[in-house]
Amino acid sequence: DLESAGKNIKIDKPQQLGYGYIGINAGKVTYRNLRKAIMAAMNIDAALEYYSGDTCVPINWPMSTVSWAYPKYPDGRLKPNNTDYANGWTEGEAHAVEVVENYTQKAINDGADASDFKITLTIAGASITEHPTYLVFKQAAELLNGLNEKTGKDAGTYKWNVEVKADSQALTKLSTGSLQVWAAAWGSTIDPDMYQVYHVNSSATSVRAWGYPEIKQNRDSDDFKLINGTLKSLIEEGR
């Protein structure tokens, strides 16, 4: 009888330093505006449907909200990421479509062609539906592939060709930098090691996932200037 035994039941809700995230390989999706369009198409709130109650919260930064390093206001409220591509769905699908179209057109202006718009969203595992990110990817693929219809443009104006698939070898491929866009999880220490995960000189497999080997081959690119300049300086200053 749970009702009569209730006073003897204690429920713990431990918080975790681990978190789920969606990653994009800049070595495989080379146009920055293309990456922003993909991010704007992602409605991360859809992942909450996989969980019950208040057992998870959306994150705006790639770290657990438990970490002292997670950006917060003095009263403990989580700081948002105010970029439009990180908030495509905050005002509904119509706003997300507008933001996605904006960055799609910018990518085309930058020189992206049909081959650049062929994107695979990979879920780690054997089942495509048994994953918290499946609905996020499914919704994003539908938005991107249907962008012409949603914006009233002629067929072929925007050449998105997005596929969602499960791959039981995804984590191995991730460590070699073989995936374009993927969903995975990461565990953090009490002090997040930004050097290992993001520094231009890191030898960890994580930087292969971000496309650092390809980026470092083009030292005139904006991406290289970022990871070898501002990002490098901030990580070293943080250390």
Side-chain angles (χ1 to χ4, degrees):
D1 186 341
L2 289 179
E3 184 174 349
S4 61
K7 61 182 179 180
N8 297 318
I9 296 175
K10 179 181 178 182
I11 299 176
D12 285 329
K13 293 184 178 180
Q15 294 180 309
Q16 304 294 330
L17 280 169
Y19 58 91
Y21 74 97
I22 296 169
I24 302 179
N25 185 328
K28 297 288 187 291
V29 185
T30 56
Y31 289 95
R32 189 175 294 183
N33 284 314
L34 210 61
R35 301 197 294 268
K36 290 179 179 180
I38 294 170
M39 285 187 274
M42 301 285 182
N43 178 15
I44 60 173
D45 285 344
L48 303 185
E49 297 182 23
Y50 187 85
Y51 299 93
S52 60
D54 58 350
T55 52
C56 74
V57 296
I59 56 175
N60 298 306
W61 312 93
M63 65 181 70
S64 169
T65 58
V66 178
S67 172
W68 64 268
Y70 193 96
K72 299 174 185 175
Y73 292 110
D75 63 3
R77 289 181 299 122
L78 305 180
K79 284 187 177 181
N81 182 332
N82 291 321
T83 56
D84 59 353
Y85 53 82
N87 293 282
W89 282 86
T90 54
E91 298 177 31
E93 183 181 13
H95 177 68
V97 169
E98 181 181 342
V99 177
V100 169
E101 182 182 22
N102 177 44
Y103 283 113
T104 298
Q105 188 59 59
K106 286 183 177 180
I108 293 172
N109 295 342
D110 292 339
D113 59 25
S115 63
D116 297 304
F117 286 92
K118 183 175 176 58
I119 303 292
T120 299
L121 312 180
T122 302
I123 288 176
S127 171
I128 194 171
T129 58
E130 294 300 316
H131 194 281
T133 315
Y134 169 66
L135 289 178
V136 181
F137 279 5
K138 179 176 181 289
Q139 192 176 56
E142 290 172 351
L143 190 161
L144 294 167
N145 290 333
L147 189 60
N148 291 315
E149 180 180 352
K150 293 177 183 297
T151 57
K153 297 295 191 298
D154 293 335
T157 302
Y158 302 125
K159 305 180 186 303
W160 287 101
N161 180 9
V162 182
E163 175 189 15
V164 182
K165 74 172 189 177
D167 189 336
S168 59
Q169 301 299 314
L171 296 183
T172 299
K173 293 178 180 178
L174 185 59
S175 68
T176 62
S178 302
L179 302 180
Q180 289 180 300
V181 184
W182 69 92
W186 192 266
S188 179
T189 58
I190 293 177
D191 288 320
D193 188 352
M194 297 295 101
Y195 188 100
Q196 176 197 25
V197 182
Y198 299 115
H199 195 278
V200 65
N201 295 328
S202 171
S203 59
T205 57
S206 58
V207 296
R208 298 178 195 167
W210 314 137
Y212 278 27
E214 293 95 332
I215 292 172
K216 290 163 75 172
Q217 290 176 7
N218 184 5
R219 294 179 174 256
D220 292 328
S221 69
D222 290 339
D223 286 336
F224 179 77
K225 292 173 184 176
L226 176 64
I227 67 171
N228 194 53
T230 304
L231 184 58
K232 177 182 177 182
S233 298
L234 288 172
I235 291 172
E236 292 175 357
E237 182 181 352
R239 272 195 153 190

